[in-house]
Amino acid sequence: MGFLKGSLGIKRYFIENPDAFREGREKVVERMLRYQFRSIEGAAVEEAVGWVSPFRSYDSKIKVEDTFLDSNIFLAMRVDRKVVPRLLLDSKVNQKLDSGAVVVKGKQELKQLKENMRQELLLKALPEPRIIEGVIDLPHATLYLNTASHRASGLFLSLFEKTFDVLPAHIDPTGFAFLTLKEDSKLQALSDTEESCFHDI
């Protein structure tokens, strides 16, 4: 897990209403199991998103002992995505047309042929998996998300909101300073600071 070893690209979010995490550990895991990851291998589906075990990322069985560590909640979202290359799709459609196996009349039938072929190829395609990690610091009601991707962040937050009925708010450096210092005088002192430059002589 990236939070324990490896590189990090952290985004910080504030959880304004953390009531869902005070319901008990089993209840939190029960919420996550409602949206656990389900494989799309062998299915004509482009994308699947769901929770998996944070330490066994290819296991959708989520356990309390893997999720709760001290005052932190470890989360792992798996995203599987299938892609049908445009060149492959066009080649398969042209093969059908050139062989005479299919005769299309008009744009609508051609469009339907392409969609049918895309579904057929999706069934055979292997998904490309990705794991997005998050850690909730309960005492500070803060979510740390390990991704620099805007799309991955959006998927994680959407799943988080569906699971826990709360949408975390992104904390920029100014917001973080306010939440950390909590005093106007300290914030003013911080804003009055000037850039310093030190040179080796």
Side-chain angles (χ1 to χ4, degrees):
M1 187 174 199
F3 281 98
L4 300 180
K5 64 178 182 179
S7 60
L8 293 174
I10 297 294
K11 289 184 179 181
R12 186 187 288 111
Y13 297 84
F14 178 64
I15 304 171
E16 188 173 357
N17 182 10
D19 287 348
F21 307 103
R22 298 181 180 128
E23 297 174 340
R25 296 184 172 195
E26 288 77 13
K27 185 66 176 177
V28 169
V29 171
E30 184 182 311
R31 281 176 174 262
M32 294 174 67
L33 287 171
R34 294 176 197 163
Y35 297 97
Q36 70 187 54
F37 177 81
R38 289 175 174 79
S39 175
I40 56 172
E41 193 169 338
V45 179
E46 288 184 285
E47 187 173 69
V49 178
W51 300 117
V52 293
S53 169
F55 296 103
R56 290 177 295 278
S57 57
Y58 295 95
D59 187 354
S60 59
K61 297 174 184 175
I62 304 164
K63 299 179 181 179
V64 171
E65 56 269 26
D66 290 341
T67 305
F68 284 83
L69 296 176
D70 297 325
S71 58
N72 299 311
I73 299 176
F74 282 68
L75 305 172
M77 178 187 75
R78 178 172 167 177
V79 181
D80 274 22
R81 184 164 178 78
K82 293 182 179 181
V83 176
V84 175
R86 179 65 181 270
L87 181 60
L88 176 61
L89 177 59
D90 288 345
S91 295
K92 292 290 186 180
V93 169
N94 288 332
Q95 276 182 346
K96 289 274 189 182
L97 295 173
D98 291 346
S99 68
V102 176
V103 178
V104 297
K105 299 175 182 177
K107 292 183 179 179
Q108 193 59 38
E109 288 190 9
L110 179 59
K111 183 179 178 181
Q112 187 60 52
L113 173 62
K114 286 184 177 180
E115 179 56 27
N116 292 344
M117 182 56 67
R118 193 179 74 86
Q119 294 291 318
E120 185 178 322
L121 292 172
L122 275 175
L123 281 168
K124 299 175 182 177
L126 289 175
E128 181 178 345
R130 186 177 179 192
I131 303 297
I132 310 299
E133 301 170 333
V135 171
I136 300 172
D137 177 359
L138 285 175
H140 299 96
T142 302
L143 166 67
Y144 297 95
L145 191 55
N146 185 12
T147 180
S149 165
H150 181 72
R151 184 176 187 275
S153 299
L155 286 173
F156 192 100
L157 293 176
S158 176
L159 183 61
F160 191 100
E161 184 180 21
K162 283 195 297 185
T163 305
F164 302 114
D165 298 320
V166 60
L167 180 62
H170 183 252
I171 305 174
D172 61 17
T174 303
F176 178 68
F178 180 79
L179 288 170
T180 303
L181 298 175
K182 296 179 181 177
E183 290 184 24
D184 289 341
S185 59
K186 291 181 179 179
L187 284 170
Q188 188 59 49
L190 183 63
S191 67
D192 291 341
T193 57
E194 296 181 0
E195 182 180 349
S196 298
C197 184
F198 298 91
H199 300 279
D200 290 332
I201 298 175

